[in-house]
């Protein structure tokens, strides 16, 4: 499962895109007991009002997908743990285009989705006594004539309106609809999202730690302990109430970016909404 996640993350974007990611996952889970897969295509997401992920994927010829993987192990608890992963199969930045230097690394902007899929594959193949739902929010962020623009307004599945400040703050948009779907359809014991969300967290922590945001101390402690156990250390960063003011909008419920500083914190606050 770990090798699967690494391989999929390292494949170039002409090989791994939303539809092929789904196909790779379906092949990996084929014949594994206790697993069901559901795939939401564009018409299904339109019916559900998933305007955030659809907005991100609008500029690409590769249509977005929402992949939902359910694993129910033996004697598992009733409430699932939800693992949601950012699955931007390539991120040009959209209209807010990135510099060309190292843009090729953006083939790995879907490694959050690969990670939650791989984690669920490991649990399922081990027949772990857990109830897990993994959600891979898959889209390609491209700048064609249909792409969203700064100052556009998108409406997420939960009805919140989002003013686009930067089309390069797209990971939080696809996660918005993934988490809204989880809230509407599941009663999770916990929700953990995994994302290559923002370079701001690397500015803060380098590549020695992953940033951890949580309003639940006990869950944060468990995640920190798990990271320490496997050599993937996490560092908890604050979720200050003022971050909400930084992403307040005069024309929508919130903006997908804030002012100077605390870029990781404002991204986490956005996802919390």
């Amino acid at each position: 499962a770990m090798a699967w996640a690494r391989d999929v993350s390292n494949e170039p974007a002409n090989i791994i895109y939303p539809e092929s990611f789904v196909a790779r996952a379906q092949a990996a889970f084929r014949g594994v007991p206790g697993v069901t897969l559901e795939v939401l295509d564009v018409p299904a997401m339109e019916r559900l009002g998933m305007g955030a992920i659809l907005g991100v994927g609008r500029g690409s010829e590769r249509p977005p997908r929402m992949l939902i993987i359910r694993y129910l192990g033996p004697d598992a608890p009733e409430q699932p743990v939800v693992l949601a992963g950012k699955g931007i199969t390539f991120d040009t930045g959209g209209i807010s285009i990135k510099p060309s230097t190292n843009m090729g690394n953006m083939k790995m902007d879907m490694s959050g989705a690969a990670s939650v899929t791989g984690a669920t594959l490991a649990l399922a193949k081990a027949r772990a006594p857990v109830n897990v739902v993994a959600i891979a929010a898959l889209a390609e962020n491209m700048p064609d004539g249909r792409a969203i623009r700064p100052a556009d307004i998108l409406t997420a599945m939960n009805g919140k309106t989002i003013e686009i400040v930067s089309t390069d703050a797209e990971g939080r948009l696809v996660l918005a609809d993934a988490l809204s779907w989880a809230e509407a359809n599941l009663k999770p014991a916990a929700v953990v999202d995994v994302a290559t969300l923002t370079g701001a967290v690397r500015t803060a922590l380098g590549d020695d730690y992953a940033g951890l945001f949580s309003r639940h101390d006990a869950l944060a402690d468990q995640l920190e302990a798990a990271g320490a156990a496997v050599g993937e250390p996490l560092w908890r960063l604050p979720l200050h109430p003022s971050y909400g003011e930084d992403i307040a909008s005069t024309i929508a419920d919130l903006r997908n970016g804030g002012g100077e500083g605390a870029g990781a914190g404002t991204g986490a606050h956005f996802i919390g909404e």
Side-chain angles (χ1 to χ4, degrees):
M2 187 182 294
W4 184 92
R6 287 175 172 171
D7 287 347
V8 170
S9 296
N10 279 290
E11 290 269 30
N14 62 324
I15 303 298
I16 293 296
Y17 43 91
E19 293 164 297
S20 65
F21 183 105
V22 168
R24 288 279 186 100
Q26 289 170 329
F29 281 97
R30 193 167 291 124
V32 179
V35 175
T36 57
L37 274 69
E38 179 181 358
V39 184
L40 303 181
D41 60 10
V42 169
M45 290 189 282
E46 288 174 340
R47 287 193 296 271
L48 291 168
M50 291 183 169
I53 187 172
L54 289 169
V56 173
R58 213 163 66 199
S60 174
E61 293 184 353
R62 311 279 199 185
R65 292 287 185 267
M66 190 80 74
L67 172 64
I68 299 147
I69 306 165
R70 303 171 192 254
Y71 166 63
L72 185 63
D75 302 316
E78 185 176 342
Q79 288 183 289
V81 170
V82 172
L83 306 176
K86 172 185 172 182
I88 302 298
T89 56
F90 194 81
D91 183 19
T92 65
I95 297 297
S96 310
I97 198 160
K98 293 177 179 291
S100 59
T101 303
N102 296 324
M103 194 197 282
N105 290 339
M106 291 299 101
K107 68 181 184 179
M108 299 186 73
D109 214 16
M110 38 58 67
S111 54
S115 295
V116 300
T117 301
T120 306
L121 181 62
L123 292 165
K125 285 196 165 187
R127 298 293 290 146
V130 295
N131 184 355
V132 172
V133 179
I135 306 173
L138 303 160
E140 186 178 55
N141 189 21
M142 298 288 282
D144 90 340
R146 298 181 65 248
I148 56 172
R149 298 154 290 251
D152 282 2
I153 305 288
L154 303 180
T155 303
M157 180 183 168
N158 65 356
K160 295 221 176 199
T161 54
I162 303 162
E163 176 189 357
I164 301 303
V165 173
S166 168
T167 63
D168 194 24
E170 83 300 325
R172 64 200 68 184
L173 299 176
V174 301
L175 285 169
D177 281 334
L179 298 178
S180 296
W181 185 92
E183 184 179 36
N185 291 280
L186 307 168
K187 294 182 178 178
V191 179
V192 179
D193 71 77
V194 183
T196 49
L197 198 73
T198 168
V201 75
R202 185 166 183 168
T203 301
L205 301 175
D207 58 8
D208 299 299
Y209 294 91
L212 168 64
F213 294 90
S214 179
R215 292 192 174 95
H216 193 290
D217 292 342
L219 178 59
D221 290 346
Q222 285 181 294
L223 292 168
E224 284 184 318
V230 298
E232 298 279 1
L234 309 177
W235 192 274
R236 191 174 181 186
L237 294 166
L239 273 170
H240 196 278
S242 70
Y243 296 164
E245 300 169 13
D246 293 336
I247 58 172
S249 171
T250 58
I251 58 173
D253 290 318
L254 66 166
R255 300 185 297 162
N256 76 330
E260 294 296 318
T266 53
H269 186 94
F270 180 98
I271 291 170
E273 293 294 301

